[in-house]
Amino acid sequence: MCSSDLTRAQMKLGDVESGFASADVVVEREFRLPRAHQGYIEPHACTVRYDEDGQSLIWCSSQGHFDVRTSTAALLGMELGKIKVVPGEIGGGFGGKTTVYLEPVALILSRKAGKPVKMVMERDEVFTSTGPTSAAVVRAKVGAKSDGTITAAEGWMAYDAGAFPGSPLMPGVMTMFTPYDLENVNVVGFDVVVNRSKTAAYRAPGAPQSEFAAEMVINELAEALGMDPIDLRLKNAAKEGTQTIYGPKLKRVGLVECLEAVRDSEHYQSSIAAGQGRGVAAGFWFNIGGQSSVTLNMNTDGTGTIIEGSPDIGGSRASMQMMASEVLGIPLENLKPVVADTDTLPYSATTGGSRTTFATGMAVIESAEKVVAQVKERAASLWNVTVEQVEYADGVATNTAGEESMTLAEVCAAAEKTGGQLSGSANINARGAGPSFAVHLADTVVDPDTGKVDVIRYTAAQDAGKAIHPGYVEGQYQGGAAQGIGWALNEEYIYDENGAMENPGFLDYRVPLASDLPMIEAIVVEVPNAFHPYGVRGVGESGIIPPLAAVATAVGNAIDRKIEELPCSPPRVLALVQNGK
């Protein structure tokens, strides 16, 4: 397998050489991680129709149908206005459905055949032909004073991009040591092209690999210093005012609160039995905003339709209902969220980067506020008063200069007399996405005869800013933890001597089943993001980052070995138990 370095990235602060020179303890390790697939149940699929007039229609399962249109048009040299993409319900994506594979091919075939074309990947095609996340080699070096003050940190990483450049190297460099308030830090990374399928995004792309190495070294540093691993993190935790390696200073964030929540949990306070191991790790993802478009149409009976452009991959439609309901003061069941096609709304960016509840939620709030403004204007015209004399609360408009009042439904019913249907639209480019930190705690037990690892208890704490739908937020924490546990214990691409993948199916590519996992205890920490009306932070990605180091540390502690390569599969763990390597 030939390879070449194509891209180099570096970010640094301060002077690491002087930082290490002042350290009393320095820990340095190298770690290896395999390729891992997103593991979505639904394979890539689409149905397309190319009409004689050049108009095209694509039905597909995607995280971003507007970007499906853009990519397909660019690849085929077509105008955007000639392609309409209708989003289907998605059967899992996790970053793996943010690009196109079948759609341009199907459209070419439809144009040639003059008939609609349907294409569906087989499972082995999904594994061998679409993008997993990058395999990586990551080195981490951290130095500290004897009191636990970290004086310097250094990272080096090489990420597998596949056959073309473009691994998630930059986020890996950005996030590696961001959970810590460091004066001296230097991180260098390389995007490496190899003779394998092109990699793609996978939940917090690039961050799990680099932060795994950093967190493993932080845990070893705590051991060397004789400190509790949470106390070491609390002493050095990133907080409001921390200068990040990638540019901005942090606003108010919730890492300290997450660390304290795990420290004070019954899980952390409990003891573990002989032969068991415990590990803790932190994780950081910066989150993004971006473009979102929403229209809120009110019907004459006071019900409404929220038309949005963001595919729902984690329960976001319910959050849109709840935020619109809050602004309008009406029951959320009176509002129906709809994910519309590319001809119905202006552009909305792909659902990814933990952006949807934050960014599209802001567009929903703005749309609902415009409806409220119209309600006040219409009521004012009916009562022959100024808009300033109308108040609106809990779904009711009130004349402060008289005794009249009208419900939202009553104002909607009179819409024909006052100017037509009430409707509010917002087309925004959201800024101010608040970073989200997570802290996880894992207990494991290892069978010394087989090397099989069982996770027997697990706790995940994460800062949500404000949990709009607490149940779905907990589900994001648990889903991220489950995927991270799978990556830590079993998931990897295995190749034969000719470079062919040997395990392109769920029988041999082992993702965790419900029976493999304990109940993941979720702790929702809420430190509001000041840039969102309700304080929202995205929560979809940080949760996959800590499990790798938390589980690997727990396994290492259970068998009294240092883990330097993932996954902690039975053959690898058994070799460590028997041979120490």
Side-chain angles (χ1 to χ4, degrees), residues 296-300 302-304 328 330 335 371 408 412 421-423:
L296 173 54
N297 292 329
M298 299 304 300
N299 302 313
T300 54
T303 61
L328 296 175
I330 62 175
L335 297 163
V371 169
L408 173 60
C412 289
Q421 183 178 13
L422 277 70
S423 179

Side-chain angles (χ1 to χ4, degrees), residues 319-499:
S319 296
M320 303 307 145
Q321 279 179 292
M322 295 173 76
M323 285 184 276
S325 169
E326 184 76 13
V327 175
L328 296 175
I330 62 175
L332 62 88
E333 56 266 24
N334 288 4
L335 297 163
K336 179 174 70 175
V338 174
V339 181
D341 61 65
T342 56
D343 280 358
T344 301
L345 280 175
Y347 176 83
S348 286
T350 290
T351 298
S354 299
R355 64 169 230 96
T356 304
T357 302
F358 170 75
T360 306
M362 289 175 72
V364 166
I365 292 167
E366 184 175 321
S367 299
E369 288 173 341
K370 288 180 178 179
V371 169
V372 169
Q374 291 175 35
V375 170
K376 295 169 71 174
E377 291 169 1
R378 304 297 182 87
S381 68
L382 290 170
W383 295 328
N384 195 28
V385 298
T386 66
V387 173
E388 291 73 21
Q389 291 174 301
V390 179
E391 291 183 350
Y392 184 87
D394 300 324
V396 178
T398 304
N399 179 7
T400 61
E403 298 181 355
E404 297 97 338
S405 65
M406 296 180 72
T407 65
L408 173 60
E410 289 171 335
V411 175
C412 289
E416 184 178 359
K417 302 175 184 178
T418 59
Q421 183 178 13
L422 277 70
S423 179
S425 295
N427 182 17
I428 69 170
N429 191 352
R431 295 287 184 261
S436 180
F437 289 90
V439 177
H440 289 199
L441 178 64
D443 292 352
T444 63
V445 63
V446 178
D447 185 330
D449 296 323
T450 65
K452 181 179 183 293
V453 177
D454 286 311
V455 178
I456 55 176
R457 191 168 184 182
Y458 202 96
T459 295
Q462 187 174 328
D463 178 15
K466 172 62 180 177
I468 300 297
H469 191 303
Y472 283 162
V473 168
E474 289 187 7
Q476 289 293 314
Y477 295 3
Q478 292 163 335
Q483 288 183 309
I485 291 169
W487 199 348
L489 291 185
N490 291 299
E491 296 183 41
E492 63 178 321
Y493 273 42
I494 299 173
Y495 295 94
D496 65 17
E497 65 275 7
N498 297 314

Side-chain angles (χ1 to χ4, degrees), residues 28-33 212 216 220 562-566 576:
E28 183 175 10
R29 292 279 181 185
E30 180 177 287
F31 301 91
R32 294 177 177 270
L33 301 92
F212 162 68
M216 292 294 288
E220 188 171 344
K562 300 300 181 188
I563 304 296
E564 295 180 335
E565 185 174 2
L566 294 183
L576 282 170

Side-chain angles (χ1 to χ4, degrees), residues 50-56 82:
Y50 186 93
D51 292 337
E52 291 182 1
D53 62 0
Q55 294 293 323
S56 299
K82 295 287 189 181

Side-chain angles (χ1 to χ4, degrees), residues 35 37-45 96-97 101-102 120-132 197-198 493 501 503-506:
R35 285 186 157 206
H37 199 269
Q38 299 87 350
Y40 38 81
I41 301 298
E42 173 201 43
H44 291 267
K97 291 180 181 173
Y101 296 104
L102 300 178
V120 181
M121 285 191 184
E122 298 292 337
R123 181 61 60 188
D124 62 337
E125 294 172 329
V126 172
F127 274 104
T128 59
S129 304
T130 70
S197 60
K198 176 73 179 70
Y493 273 42
M501 187 178 181
N503 59 332
F506 284 135

Side-chain angles (χ1 to χ4, degrees), residues 69-228:
R69 180 183 67 173
T70 300
S71 297
T72 302
L75 288 166
L76 301 184
M78 297 178 65
E79 298 174 3
L80 290 174
K82 295 287 189 181
I83 303 175
K84 176 181 177 179
V85 183
V86 180
E89 293 294 333
I90 191 168
F94 313 108
K97 291 180 181 173
T98 57
T99 186
V100 294
Y101 296 104
L102 300 178
E103 292 84 356
V105 177
L107 203 54
I108 291 172
L109 293 174
S110 179
R111 183 170 60 190
K112 286 183 174 294
K115 295 180 181 296
V117 170
K118 176 182 178 180
M119 295 185 73
V120 181
M121 285 191 184
E122 298 292 337
R123 181 61 60 188
D124 62 337
E125 294 172 329
V126 172
F127 274 104
T128 59
S129 304
T130 70
T133 192
S134 300
V137 178
V138 188
R139 300 174 194 146
K141 179 180 179 182
V142 181
K145 295 283 192 183
S146 57
D147 68 352
T149 301
I150 296 176
T151 59
E154 193 166 45
W156 180 98
M157 64 194 72
Y159 278 27
D160 149 33
F164 305 94
S167 71
L169 171 67
M170 196 59 71
V173 172
M174 292 167 60
T175 61
M176 184 171 185
F177 293 111
T178 304
Y180 304 101
D181 189 354
L182 305 177
E183 294 183 1
N184 305 302
V185 57
N186 181 39
V187 182
V188 179
F190 296 89
D191 185 60
V192 182
V193 174
V194 300
N195 189 26
R196 289 177 179 168
S197 60
K198 176 73 179 70
T199 57
Y202 180 20
R203 208 168 190 164
Q209 295 96 318
S210 64
E211 293 188 59
F212 162 68
E215 292 300 297
M216 292 294 288
V217 167
I218 291 292
N219 282 336
E220 188 171 344
L221 183 65
E223 182 181 359
L225 291 167
M227 288 185 69
D228 179 278

